[in-house]
Amino acid sequence: MSKVELTIVLAAGEGTRMKSKTAKVLHSIAGRSIIENVLTAVEPLNPKSLSVVVGAHRQEVEAHLQQIAPKAKAIFQENRNGTGGAVQLALAEHNGDGAVLILAGDTPLLTSKTLSEFVEAHITSKNSASVLTALLPDPTGYGRIVRGENNTVAKIVEQRDANELEIEIDEINTGVYIFDLSQLREVISKLQSNNSQKELYLTDVIGLITNSGKKVSAVLSNDYTETLGINDRSQLAECAALMQDRINHQHMLNGVTILDPTTTWIDANVKIESDVVIYPGSAISGNSIIASGAVIGPRTTLVNCEVAADATVLESFATDSKVGKSAKVGPYSYLRAGTVLAEEAKIGAYVETKNSTIGKGSKVPHLSYVGDAQIGEGSNIGAATIFVNYDGENKHQTKVGNQVRIGSDTMLVAPVSIGDGAYTAAGSVINEDVPAGAIGIGRARQTNILGWVLRKRKGSKSADAAKNAGASE
Ligand code: UD1
Ligand code: MG
C-alpha cells in the first residue's frame, strides 16, 4: 500500500532567470532533465497518483512528460498566480483522501531516501502537515521557517515579506511538504494574495493550519545540498557539479577507478562495472555501458556506447557505437552511429567510422574513413584508405572479406566487394569487385623521365643534389 495518495510537482513557472528558450525544468543534469531527476526521486515512493502542474513552455514540458512519466497527469495553470494557485488546480482534479506530497520541479538533487524518510517522519508525527527544511549557509531568497511551540512550525515567511528578525533565520523552506488532503482542501481556498508578489503562496497554508489549532512539523534535512533549487545558470552548474560528485563517488565505491573525479562527467543512466579505469577529462553519457577491465580516456567522450571487457578507448569521441572485447580505439578516433567493433578490432589515429562493422581482429590503424562497410575478420585496412560511400545522391555499401589487405591510400568506391584473402595495391581506386585471393590494382603505371630536374630546374638545390648523386641531363 502506498503511503502517498497523491504527489504534486510544481513546474508551471516561467524560469525567467534562466534566460533560455528552453523551459527551466527541461535543462539537463547528468543526462536527465531537471524534472526527470525529481520524478526519479519520487518514483520509489510509488504515489497512487502523480500530477505535474505545467504552464510556461507547456507543450514541450507535456511532450517530455509523455516520454519520461506517461502516467503523470499534466495540469495546466494558465494564470501563474503562485504556488498556492498551482496546488488549488491540482487538488480540484483529484478525489480521494490520504497524504499529499508536494514538491517543486526545480530541485533535482533530492533523493528517494530523503523523501521516504520525510514521509515516515510525517506519519510518525501524526500532525496535519510537515515541511522539509534545511539549514543553509546562505538562506537568501528562500522562505524562512518561523518555529512555534514544541518545535512545531508557526508559519513560513517569504524573504521579500520577512521582517528584520525573520530574515535572520537560517532554517529555510525547501518547498517539499506533506499535507493531509482533507486538511489542505479546507484551508487552501482561504489563500490571499496580499503579499509583495501579489501571488497565492502555498507557504501561507502552513500559518492557516496552525491558526486552526492543528500542528505542523518541520523535518530538518541532513544534507542541505539535496534541497538546492535551480533558478539560474549558475545554480544549474552548481547542482550539476554536486550530482557529478554523487555519481562518481558511487562508481568509485563500486570499484571503478576515476583518476580525476572533477573532470569526469558520467550521466546518471550510465552503467560501469568494477575494475574499469577512467582517465581525466572523460565524459560518458546517455545509456552507455562499460564492462570490467575497460580503460577509458584521457579526454574521451562516449555517448550511448557499449564498451566490452578489457577494451581501450583513448582520446576519442564515440556515439551510438559498440566496442568489442579487448578492442582498441584511438587516440583521436571518431566513431559515429552504427559503428560495431568485434573482439580485438582496432581503430587508430585520425580514423572516422560510421554505420560499419569491423570484424574480429581487423585493423584500421591510420587516417581513414570507413562508412557503410562490412569488414570481415583479420583484415588490415592500410593508412589513408577511404571507403567512398556517397555518390552525391545515395549511400552505398562496401564489403571487405576475411584476411584482406587493403593497400595504403586505396579508394574503395561503393558499392564494391573485396573477396576473402584479396589485396589491393597502394594508391588504387577500386570500383570493381576484387575476387578472393586476387590483387586489385587501379592506378596509372609509373613513368620516370630521366634528367628532367637537371634540365627544367637548372641551378636548383635539387639539381645540385642530383648531380652530386651522378645524375646527368
Ligand atoms: C518557493 C517557496 C519558498 C521556498 C522555495 C524553495 C513559495 C511562495 N515560496 O520559492 O518558500 O523556500 O520555493 O525552493 O512557494 N510554480 C508554479 N506556478 C506558479 C508559481 C510557481 O507551478 O504560479 C512552480 C515553479 O515552476 C517552481 C515552484 O513552483 O517549480 C516554486 O516556484 P518558484 O517561483 O521557484 O518559488 P521560489 O521563489 O523558489
Ligand atoms: Mg524556485
Side-chain angles (χ1 to χ4, degrees):
M1 246 291 280
S2 172
K3 291 171 179 163
V4 179
E5 162 74 18
L6 169 65
T7 294
I8 303 173
V9 177
L10 306 181
E14 305 293 332
T16 323
R17 287 166 280 178
M18 293 297 280
K19 303 206 170 112
S20 177
K21 290 193 194 94
T22 305
K24 174 167 82 174
V25 293
L26 298 188
H27 281 260
S28 97
I29 297 255
R32 290 175 178 158
S33 67
I34 293 174
I35 194 163
E36 188 179 0
N37 279 289
V38 175
L39 296 180
T40 304
V42 166
E43 199 180 7
L45 275 68
N46 199 21
K48 267 171 78 183
S49 309
L50 171 62
S51 294
V52 180
V53 184
V54 300
H57 302 275
R58 174 195 185 181
Q59 276 166 351
E60 294 90 325
V61 177
E62 282 188 13
H64 180 62
L65 285 174
Q66 268 299 319
Q67 284 180 345
I68 60 158
K71 286 190 194 143
K73 181 172 177 180
I75 291 174
F76 179 45
Q77 185 187 19
E78 192 168 9
N79 168 24
R80 258 81 77 193
N81 59 348
T83 45
V87 171
Q88 283 175 344
L89 291 175
L91 291 185
E93 297 207 21
H94 185 84
N95 299 311
D97 278 327
V100 53
L101 172 71
I102 301 180
L103 63 168
D106 64 357
T107 50
L109 296 174
L110 275 169
T111 61
S112 307
K113 183 166 173 282
T114 295
L115 290 176
S116 50
E117 283 168 7
F118 177 54
V119 173
E120 290 304 328
H122 172 74
I123 292 169
T124 313
S125 76
K126 297 200 169 64
N127 286 342
S128 304
S130 297
V131 188
L132 185 68
T133 69
L135 292 171
L136 291 197
D138 176 11
T140 311
Y142 288 87
R144 307 297 207 282
I145 302 292
V146 180
R147 293 269 190 165
E149 284 168 16
N150 301 325
N151 257 351
T152 55
V153 181
K155 61 174 180 172
I156 297 174
V157 200
E158 289 308 294
Q159 158 106 17
R160 298 160 182 253
D161 304 297
N163 64 31
E164 275 175 23
L165 282 178
E166 289 163 343
I167 216 143
E168 294 301 320
I169 299 172
D170 54 5
E171 184 178 21
I172 61 99
N173 168 27
T174 64
V176 182
Y177 324 79
I178 301 185
F179 297 95
D180 172 59
L181 263 165
S182 55
Q183 181 70 49
L184 182 61
R185 281 204 185 89
E186 231 171 76
V187 291
I188 200 152
S189 56
K190 298 182 185 148
L191 285 179
Q192 290 184 354
S193 54
N194 52 354
N195 49 54
S196 62
Q197 295 193 84
K198 303 281 170 276
E199 284 185 356
L200 299 177
Y201 287 171
L202 178 61
T203 45
D204 287 346
V205 151
I206 304 297
L208 292 170
I209 292 176
T210 51
N211 289 345
S212 72
K214 302 269 172 33
K215 286 195 182 122
V216 177
S217 357
V219 179
L220 184 63
S221 143
N222 296 325
D223 176 4
Y224 78 86
T225 63
E226 276 196 28
T227 67
L228 294 173
I230 294 178
N231 296 308
D232 58 35
R233 307 272 183 151
S234 170
Q235 289 167 327
L236 179 69
E238 189 187 349
C239 287
L242 287 162
M243 186 66 101
Q244 174 201 26
D245 263 0
R246 196 190 277 176
I247 290 172
N248 287 349
H249 182 71
Q250 192 54 50
H251 284 301
M252 290 187 277
L253 293 187
N254 292 347
V256 177
T257 296
I258 300 180
L259 275 93
D260 182 8
T262 58
T263 63
T264 304
W265 292 85
I266 301 171
D267 277 0
N269 290 344
V270 170
K271 295 194 174 65
I272 308 181
E273 292 181 2
S274 64
D275 285 324
V276 164
V277 177
I278 305 174
Y279 283 96
S282 297
I284 309 177
S285 65
N287 295 313
S288 296
I289 301 174
I290 318 293
S292 186
V295 177
I296 309 296
R299 290 170 293 281
T300 289
T301 302
L302 302 174
V303 183
N304 295 322
C305 289
E306 280 178 35
V307 179
D310 303 320
T312 305
V313 187
L314 166 67
E315 298 257 16
S316 292
F317 186 101
T319 177
D320 299 283
S321 296
K322 290 184 183 171
V323 177
K325 189 173 180 320
S326 303
K328 287 193 164 46
V329 176
Y332 318 121
S333 309
Y334 178 25
L335 275 53
R336 290 163 54 199
T339 297
V340 179
L341 307 190
E343 207 175 315
E344 289 168 11
K346 178 187 160 96
I347 297 294
Y350 306 106
V351 173
E352 174 178 341
T353 62
K354 185 215 75 172
N355 189 30
S356 294
T357 301
I358 288 93
K360 184 174 175 190
S362 286
K363 295 185 169 73
V364 191
H366 331 275
L367 300 157
S368 293
Y369 173 61
V370 182
D372 301 305
Q374 304 290 319
I375 300 176
E377 296 183 0
S379 291
N380 191 79
I381 311 299
T385 293
I386 304 295
F387 286 64
V388 183
N389 61 332
Y390 186 45
D391 61 13
E393 290 182 347
N394 296 302
K395 302 279 167 68
H396 300 282
Q397 294 280 327
T398 298
K399 203 166 171 301
V400 173
N402 299 328
Q403 303 298 340
V404 167
R405 300 287 173 265
I406 300 291
S408 291
D409 203 20
T410 297
M411 302 288 132
L412 295 166
V413 183
V416 73
S417 171
I418 314 297
D420 289 345
Y423 278 51
T424 67
S428 290
V429 175
I430 301 292
N431 56 3
E432 284 171 28
D433 291 354
V434 180
I439 182 165
I441 308 172
R443 65 184 187 210
R445 189 170 280 278
Q446 181 177 335
T447 310
N448 293 336
I449 304 172
L450 299 180
W452 185 91
V453 176
L454 297 162
R455 292 193 302 276
K456 300 287 187 189
R457 299 288 182 266
K458 271 195 175 50
S460 69
K461 286 182 181 168
S462 299
D464 291 348
K467 238 183 240 164
N468 290 340
S472 58
E473 287 191 24

